[in-house]
Amino acid sequence: MSEAFHGAKYCWMNGEIIKTEDALISAMEPVHLSIFEGIKAYVENDVNGEGRLNIFQWKSHIDRLSRSAAFCGLKIPYTKEELLEAARKTIKANGFRTNVYVQPRIWPKAGSLEEVHVVVPVWTFDTILGRGNPKFSKERRFMISSWRRIASDALPPQAKAWANYANSALAVREATRLHYDGAIFLDNRGFVSEGTGACIMTVRDGKVVTPPVTASILESVTRGALLKILPEDLGIPVEVRDITRVELYASEEAFLCGTGWEITPITSVDDLPLGREYPGAFTKRIAEYYADIVANKVEKRKEWLASM
Ligand code: PMP
């Protein structure tokens, strides 16, 4: 039974720690406007081991949750601190001492336009980060999806709403059917948008290039962190601008970035290999530094971590 709940016996729902199997909503609830967040807590000093946990970028994630709620007209009846406490309590109740994923979920209540149920489930995850982790350098063949990313005048990609993930699920299913490891969306103008659950960054001539928010992307917390640390900490110049499909094919390296996907290198797009070495040197360096930050080894970025 706990398999179905990712091994988590307990979760937090509407103010209380309860058994995960009891975290139920009625089939009559209007689920189409539900929203969520995906947040990770990493073990300190060793991304793969056991020990003290720190939640990465809590504030930015909860700020985005508040924006998603505002776009959808929902009212979250808890403060940022109360939700952080809920996550801490839930992780403790489950006795987790290794890397944990926290996914606050919010559903509108039946018969109300604003009132919601709030659930905070947590479960453990396996990271692809960490020096010498073989999962990091695994081959990953991507395709350009035949599905376009949802246009912002139809469904706002900036809201982390479950409805947007129907678009992602169609692209994942297509990629799986065609034996690719994943899909990259173009936006409705034909420019590169993002992955199905992560943003995309490319490397060209020593610069990292990534699509703008106007390319129908989710305003990714990881992308935001990289836009700061690449120039400030690693001395890598960054350009935020539209990328054409052919420019993506011609890039020396490309990687996905996101809470779930962490920093994931891409081997090829539409069977066209990117660059000469895989994973590329920039991608590796950025992933190693990101791993150090989430493991609380980087003094100047400690403020991005909330201790447990
Ligand atoms: N785009 C999409 C569609 C996503 O689902 C995610 C994951 N939340 C991201 C980008 C990356 O966002 P973040 O870095 O905030 O996890």
Side-chain angles (χ1 to χ4, degrees):
M1 168 269 300
S2 86
E3 261 309 281
F5 306 129
H6 308 279
K9 269 190 154 159
Y10 300 100
C11 74
W12 185 97
M13 185 169 185
N14 298 332
E16 292 174 75
I17 296 281
I18 58 169
K19 283 192 180 157
T20 313
E21 67 203 74
D22 295 332
L24 302 172
I25 60 163
S26 157
M28 301 308 286
E29 308 281 16
V31 294
H32 55 283
L33 268 186
S34 57
I35 56 167
F36 71 110
E37 260 312 314
I39 305 166
K40 277 182 173 174
Y42 284 88
V43 170
E44 184 157 325
N45 289 322
D46 174 0
V47 286
N48 288 307
E50 282 205 354
R52 206 178 104 118
L53 285 165
N54 298 298
I55 305 182
F56 184 58
Q57 293 270 26
W58 176 265
K59 186 178 171 303
S60 304
H61 281 287
I62 299 302
D63 282 347
R64 186 171 63 194
L65 187 67
S66 307
R67 290 198 301 273
S68 299
F71 297 146
C72 298
L74 307 176
K75 285 225 162 92
I76 306 176
Y78 301 101
T79 62
K80 232 172 261 172
E81 292 68 36
E82 283 168 331
L83 290 176
L84 176 59
E85 212 32 53
R88 284 183 174 134
K89 271 192 190 156
T90 317
I91 293 171
K92 282 199 184 113
N94 284 289
F96 292 146
R97 289 177 54 76
T98 182
N99 296 329
V100 175
Y101 181 71
V102 183
Q103 194 182 74
R105 300 172 177 192
I106 294 182
W107 285 276
K109 280 189 181 165
S112 162
L113 280 179
E114 292 183 344
E115 275 181 67
V116 296
H117 295 286
V118 182
V119 181
V120 182
V122 302
W123 58 85
T124 59
F125 71 91
D126 234 4
T127 179
I128 67 161
L129 299 174
R131 284 173 181 73
N133 188 338
K135 287 188 216 108
F136 179 74
S137 32
K138 194 173 110 8
E139 182 188 58
R140 291 180 186 89
R141 296 170 53 246
F142 277 69
M143 63 174 281
I144 299 287
S145 180
S146 72
W147 296 100
R148 292 295 174 98
R149 188 67 182 136
I150 40 171
S152 57
D153 56 353
L155 266 182
Q158 278 127 296
K160 201 164 165 66
W162 282 113
N164 297 352
Y165 288 83
N167 180 227
S168 294
L170 290 175
V172 169
R173 282 174 181 225
E174 177 184 50
T176 307
R177 202 165 58 237
L178 298 176
H179 308 291
Y180 285 91
D181 298 300
I184 293 157
F185 283 115
L186 301 182
D187 66 13
N188 62 335
R189 304 164 307 155
F191 289 106
V192 174
S193 175
E194 62 177 343
T196 52
C199 283
I200 186 165
M201 297 207 166
T202 65
V203 179
R204 240 190 135 180
D205 298 329
K207 264 187 249 162
V208 166
V209 188
T210 194
V213 173
T214 43
S216 280
I217 66 167
L218 179 75
E219 282 186 279
S220 149
V221 171
T222 317
R223 173 182 172 278
L226 294 186
L227 290 181
K228 254 185 114 48
I229 62 178
L230 294 184
E232 287 180 18
D233 301 9
L234 300 176
I236 301 172
V238 191
E239 268 180 31
V240 177
R241 62 164 174 82
D242 283 323
I243 299 174
T244 66
R245 179 174 190 158
V246 162
E247 226 185 331
L248 172 60
Y249 293 156
S251 57
E252 289 140 27
E253 300 178 28
F255 60 89
L256 292 166
C257 68
T259 303
W261 289 72
E262 302 176 320
I263 308 287
T264 297
I266 296 173
T267 316
S268 63
V269 179
D270 291 344
D271 293 312
L272 300 167
L274 307 182
R276 291 210 198 103
E277 52 162 357
Y278 179 81
F282 279 84
T283 309
K284 253 205 277 197
R285 187 170 163 228
I286 294 164
E288 281 173 6
Y289 190 65
Y290 182 76
D292 284 346
I293 291 177
V294 298
N296 204 14
K297 290 182 187 166
V298 178
E299 195 55 46
K300 76 189 270 202
R301 301 299 176 194
K302 280 182 188 257
E303 83 236 20
W304 286 349
L305 296 163
S307 61
M308 281 288 306

